[in-house]
Amino acid sequence: MKITCNEAVKNLIDYLHRELGNIERKKIDEHLEKCYKCCDKFEFEEKLSDIICKQGGDETCPKRLKSNIIKLINEVE
Amino acid sequence: MSSTTRGIYSNHEEKVRAFNEEAVSHMDALYRTALRTTRNDKDAEDLVQSTYLKAFKSFHQFKPGTNCKAWMFRIMTNLYINNYQKKARMPLNLSLDDMEDFYLYNQLALGTAGEKKSNVEEEFLSGILDSEVKSAIEKLPYEFKITVILADIEGFRYKEIADIIGCPIGTVRSRLSRGRKLLEKYLWNYAKKRDYVKENSK
Ligand SMILES: [Zn+2]
């Protein structure tokens, strides 16, 4: 069964987070194969998700804090 | 209550060893999330440290074989709500304007009336600065922010996020969707400001 652009976009968030069932996902993939506009849009959002993931949290825990926590845990009775 | 599903440790050393094996590897993830939520180094360090101490004290409640990262995040989000959020608790009163269907993509397409240049999106995406992504996330209302972080940065499933923050799965979905739109709006505003500054310094 074919879906409309609106229906595809309504599922964008679940699609991006791989939370759709196989049937739902397949419906969207079929739509994206045929619809240039939605395909472009979904690709854009996927790339943005990558950017959020990579740039939104690239810090590492300070070594000093790490060793302090490990030391504290050892001292807990 | 079944004791067989709980971690039982015969002595302190064994408990410390098991805890180190399970929990210590999640420190970077907890720290960067603490940074985004508290928005400063000192509070983030305190929050991560309290999380680890609390987790160690309740480690007998952790069921070996289950998701320790999710368990640690649940402890940290609870601590944050109880100790930090109270100070800065703000009602979630977003204007209608914030809730419009806002996707950067639509905005980019609008800006190039008619024939859309094929590289306008690529150009936009590659222009986004690290600092803009971080402050856009930090600017989100807490409920949206934590959901976006857990899903998009830490890679948790909807179900896991629902368990961590204690809300229904439908709420996770709607917060992600609304959070994403707001985030895109902030990014769009940063980009406009950045380009404006660039234009005027020519
Ligand atoms: Zn379409």
Side-chain angles (χ1 to χ4, degrees):
Chain A
M1 209 182 62
K2 291 202 167 62
I3 57 165
T4 63
C5 294
N6 271 341
E7 286 168 317
V9 172
K10 222 168 68 193
N11 284 308
L12 175 57
I13 281 290
D14 291 346
Y15 185 90
L16 288 176
H17 295 96
R18 311 201 174 275
E19 292 280 353
L20 288 174
N22 287 339
I23 298 169
E24 291 300 309
R25 190 167 184 91
K26 215 177 142 212
K27 276 187 201 168
I28 305 230
D29 283 333
E30 279 168 7
H31 180 81
L32 296 182
E33 268 172 41
K34 294 195 182 76
C35 178
Y36 170 76
K37 216 180 97 207
C38 286
C39 184
D40 206 33
K41 183 169 188 155
F42 274 58
E43 265 181 19
F44 176 82
E45 295 297 335
E46 267 180 351
K47 284 177 188 157
L48 184 64
S49 285
D50 278 351
I51 289 174
I52 294 170
C53 179
K54 290 198 188 93
Q55 304 182 10
D58 51 9
E59 295 96 340
T60 52
C61 184
K63 285 207 179 71
R64 171 185 40 78
L65 176 63
K66 210 170 250 185
S67 47
N68 197 35
I69 289 174
I70 291 170
K71 189 172 142 266
L72 282 171
I73 287 165
N74 271 293
E75 286 165 0
V76 171
E77 269 315 317
Chain B
M1 187 175 108
S2 152
S3 60
T4 54
T5 55
R6 299 283 156 91
I8 296 174
Y9 309 100
S10 52
N11 58 46
H12 184 70
E13 285 69 35
E14 200 184 306
K15 186 180 170 189
V16 170
R17 187 159 38 84
F19 184 77
N20 283 345
E21 270 171 27
E22 287 273 16
V24 171
S25 60
H26 308 304
M27 223 176 269
D28 287 340
L30 290 159
Y31 178 72
R32 62 190 176 227
T33 301
L35 268 183
R36 294 288 88 74
T37 46
T38 64
R39 296 201 244 182
N40 82 72
D41 303 9
K42 180 73 181 66
D43 284 347
E45 292 193 12
D46 287 349
L47 180 58
V48 172
Q49 186 165 310
S50 331
T51 301
Y52 271 87
L53 289 176
K54 180 103 205 276
F56 184 70
K57 281 175 188 152
S58 355
F59 195 53
H60 57 281
Q61 289 170 2
F62 172 74
K63 300 183 182 110
T66 62
N67 188 339
C68 187
K69 187 180 172 187
W71 185 72
M72 298 292 295
F73 268 86
R74 192 162 70 225
I75 293 173
M76 188 166 83
T77 48
N78 283 334
L79 278 176
Y80 177 78
I81 294 278
N82 292 331
N83 301 335
Y84 295 83
Q85 181 73 345
K86 258 187 222 153
K87 284 189 280 189
R89 182 97 201 167
M90 274 188 297
L92 206 54
N93 58 346
L94 296 162
S95 68
L96 254 180
D97 183 48
D98 287 331
M99 287 304 110
E100 71 198 301
D101 192 35
F102 194 95
Y103 278 115
L104 277 171
Y105 179 88
N106 299 354
Q107 210 61 30
L108 290 166
L110 275 179
T112 53
E115 256 335 82
K116 190 162 68 70
K117 276 188 290 167
S118 59
N119 61 349
V120 65
E121 294 138 33
E122 287 299 330
E123 242 170 59
F124 180 86
L125 290 171
S126 59
I128 297 176
L129 306 173
D130 283 17
S131 58
E132 291 172 347
V133 179
K134 290 184 175 75
S135 46
I137 294 172
E138 289 176 3
K139 221 176 124 181
L140 290 172
Y142 175 73
E143 280 79 1
F144 294 168
K145 171 165 42 181
I146 191 67
T147 316
V148 167
I149 290 174
L150 293 175
D152 293 330
I153 298 177
E154 300 308 333
F156 286 110
R157 315 294 308 165
Y158 286 4
K159 174 74 177 69
E160 292 169 326
I161 299 171
D163 288 344
I164 291 169
I165 58 185
C167 72
I169 287 180
T171 307
V172 173
R173 178 183 293 113
S174 77
R175 282 181 188 174
L176 270 182
S177 165
R178 297 168 73 188
R180 175 69 167 240
K181 285 168 195 169
L182 266 183
L183 191 66
E184 294 195 3
K185 185 169 205 160
Y186 299 154
L187 289 174
W188 176 248
N189 288 336
Y190 290 143
K192 273 199 300 194
K193 208 162 139 191
R194 176 184 359 110
D195 287 343
Y196 175 80
V197 172
K198 214 159 58 190
E199 287 297 317
N200 281 275
S201 58
K202 266 179 192 165

